[in-house]
Amino acid sequence: MDSRQLRYFIAVYEQRNLSRAADQVNVAQSALSHHISNLEAEFATPLFERKSRGMDPTAAGERLYEHARIILRAMAEAETEVREGARVIAGEISIGMANSGVKAIGVELMRTVLTKYPKLKLSLTESLSGATLMHLMISNVDLALVYNPPSEKELITEAVLEEEMFLVGIPKLVGKGKTPIRFEELSRLPLILLRYGLGLSSRALLDDPVLLKRLEGGAILHANSITGMTGALVEGLGCTIATKLFAREELAAGRLIARKVVEPKLTRTLYLCRLRNRPMTYAMEEMRRLMLSLIAEQVREGAWQAELVGQERSPRGR
């Protein structure tokens, strides 16, 4: 049984006559009769009573007619939704981002949604990376930009870009020059590290957990506040490991400087994450595409100093 046979059946049912039904569906009368016979054979019961004046539905035919109408209507609605649904992005979507993501693409994301998707209601949540992940895990957000998420079977993760981390602070603490500094020398500096989440470890800081543990062990202070961290750096209370994007305004104004860390180079990876048990909607699909496009544009223009990863991978594959 397929949709074509159901349409032929409905035509015969409503016309009560093979000839008129054949004209309605534009098919030969013999072919139409063949399809009806096949249906009856499949159901192992007559659907019509053949009479000289036409065809009267049996009780089985009456029941099939009700089901056939529902089935064909549902199929038509499904076709319309699939064909037309993606053309009008509507509904609600919530996106969570770490501070760097908001700083780099937040405004342009909101501008694009307001101008291009007027029927879409966007909720944008900014938080430290660990808290952003927590918002995703408890379904407060649909999509999340997170640094170095843990290996969780509930997550679908897509690596987006890799950023280099720098030593950031005032010249008095980190040195006046922009010459590279060896990782071993960081242990002698008063480091302040972001906690990156509500009681979570700062795994969002680096890809390498061994190096991260060494940095955390020597930190004089941990903070859960971007504003507090920036203020502390400018006041010379300590220095930190961060990207240039994190302190973009302070670096541009000369209040802070950034020194490259070498032996080894420090990096972290940004992932676009969603829950495995949450089906992808048209809005989620479009916002994923938009965020990746905006990020790529920022990287190409040099506003986001990073390297695009350009492939899907799981944290388990690192």
Side-chain angles (χ1 to χ4, degrees), residues 272-288:
L272 179 57
C273 307
R274 65 184 177 93
L275 291 178
R276 191 175 298 278
N277 64 0
R278 176 169 293 187
M280 194 73 127
T281 64
Y282 286 122
M284 289 171 64
E285 191 174 66
E286 187 65 10
M287 289 303 100
R288 171 193 171 275

Side-chain angles (χ1 to χ4, degrees), residues 9 13 47 57-70:
F9 166 78
Y13 177 95
L47 299 175
T58 62
E62 294 285 359
R63 295 302 304 138
L64 179 60
Y65 177 70
E66 296 301 322
H67 286 295
R69 290 177 58 198
I70 294 172

Side-chain angles (χ1 to χ4, degrees), residues 162-312:
E162 187 176 274
E163 290 182 287
E164 184 174 2
M165 309 298 287
F166 295 81
L167 174 64
V168 177
I170 62 173
K172 182 179 178 181
L173 289 180
V174 303
K176 295 183 179 180
K178 295 184 179 180
T179 56
I181 182 171
R182 295 173 63 249
F183 180 82
E184 291 297 333
E185 298 178 57
L186 299 181
S187 61
R188 297 195 292 269
L189 298 173
L191 290 178
I192 302 175
L193 299 180
L194 283 171
R195 183 60 71 179
Y196 283 96
L198 305 173
L200 302 175
S201 72
S202 55
R203 62 176 296 135
L205 181 63
L206 296 178
D207 282 340
D208 191 322
V210 175
L211 298 181
L212 174 60
K213 187 173 181 179
R214 291 175 63 184
L215 286 177
E216 287 185 317
I220 63 169
L221 181 67
H222 285 87
N224 268 329
S225 167
I226 299 291
T227 302
M229 165 70 86
T230 305
L233 295 177
V234 173
E235 290 297 318
L237 302 183
C239 49
T240 194
I241 302 299
T243 64
K244 288 185 176 180
L245 180 61
F246 168 81
R248 181 172 59 188
E249 294 79 9
E250 289 71 23
L251 291 172
R255 291 190 290 270
L256 297 174
I257 67 169
R259 291 184 65 184
K260 187 182 185 72
V261 180
V262 295
E263 299 179 23
K265 173 182 175 181
L266 303 183
T267 61
R268 68 176 179 177
T269 305
L270 179 69
Y271 288 81
L272 179 57
C273 307
R274 65 184 177 93
L275 291 178
R276 191 175 298 278
N277 64 0
R278 176 169 293 187
M280 194 73 127
T281 64
Y282 286 122
M284 289 171 64
E285 191 174 66
E286 187 65 10
M287 289 303 100
R288 171 193 171 275
R289 184 202 62 77
L290 177 58
M291 285 192 291
L292 292 178
S293 175
L294 293 175
I295 290 171
E297 182 179 349
Q298 289 292 300
V299 172
R300 285 194 298 268
E301 293 179 352
W304 197 334
Q305 296 184 30
E307 293 184 5
L308 295 173
V309 175
Q311 62 181 6
E312 292 189 9

Side-chain angles (χ1 to χ4, degrees), residues 24-260:
Q24 177 180 317
V25 296
N26 195 29
V27 68
Q29 183 174 329
S30 59
L32 186 60
S33 178
H34 177 71
H35 281 292
I36 297 301
S37 296
N38 284 344
L39 272 178
E40 290 177 323
E42 184 173 345
F43 286 115
T45 187
L47 299 175
F48 293 99
E49 210 179 312
R50 275 79 170 169
K51 297 182 177 180
S52 58
R53 58 182 176 83
M55 301 178 69
D56 290 339
T58 62
E62 294 285 359
R63 295 302 304 138
L64 179 60
Y65 177 70
E66 296 301 322
H67 286 295
R69 290 177 58 198
I70 294 172
I71 292 169
L72 291 181
R73 183 169 62 247
M75 292 178 69
E77 290 173 353
E79 182 178 359
T80 299
E81 183 176 346
V82 171
R83 288 181 180 275
E84 304 295 332
R87 299 181 186 177
V88 180
I89 305 299
E92 299 183 6
I93 188 166
S94 181
I95 296 174
M97 291 188 191
N99 172 262
S100 294
V102 174
K103 184 175 288 189
I105 67 168
V107 172
E108 193 56 38
L109 177 67
M110 291 185 284
R111 190 199 322 277
T112 303
V113 169
L114 289 173
T115 56
K116 190 176 179 181
Y117 308 103
K119 294 186 178 181
L120 181 64
K121 185 177 180 181
L122 170 66
S123 175
L124 182 61
T125 300
E126 176 186 355
S127 56
L128 297 177
S129 188
T132 301
L133 178 62
M134 185 178 294
H135 287 309
L136 177 66
M137 297 300 290
I138 62 175
S139 298
N140 281 349
V141 299
D142 303 302
L143 296 170
L145 285 175
V146 177
Y147 287 100
N148 304 336
S151 300
E152 298 286 351
K153 63 181 180 179
E154 296 89 353
L155 288 177
I156 294 177
T157 62
E158 180 178 1
V160 180
L161 58 74
E162 187 176 274
E163 290 182 287
E164 184 174 2
M165 309 298 287
F166 295 81
L167 174 64
V168 177
I170 62 173
K172 182 179 178 181
L173 289 180
V174 303
K176 295 183 179 180
K178 295 184 179 180
T179 56
I181 182 171
R182 295 173 63 249
F183 180 82
E184 291 297 333
E185 298 178 57
L186 299 181
S187 61
R188 297 195 292 269
L189 298 173
L191 290 178
I192 302 175
L193 299 180
L194 283 171
R195 183 60 71 179
Y196 283 96
L198 305 173
L200 302 175
S201 72
S202 55
R203 62 176 296 135
L205 181 63
L206 296 178
D207 282 340
D208 191 322
V210 175
L211 298 181
L212 174 60
K213 187 173 181 179
R214 291 175 63 184
L215 286 177
E216 287 185 317
I220 63 169
L221 181 67
H222 285 87
N224 268 329
S225 167
I226 299 291
T227 302
M229 165 70 86
T230 305
L233 295 177
V234 173
E235 290 297 318
L237 302 183
C239 49
T240 194
I241 302 299
T243 64
K244 288 185 176 180
L245 180 61
F246 168 81
R248 181 172 59 188
E249 294 79 9
E250 289 71 23
L251 291 172
R255 291 190 290 270
L256 297 174
I257 67 169
R259 291 184 65 184
K260 187 182 185 72

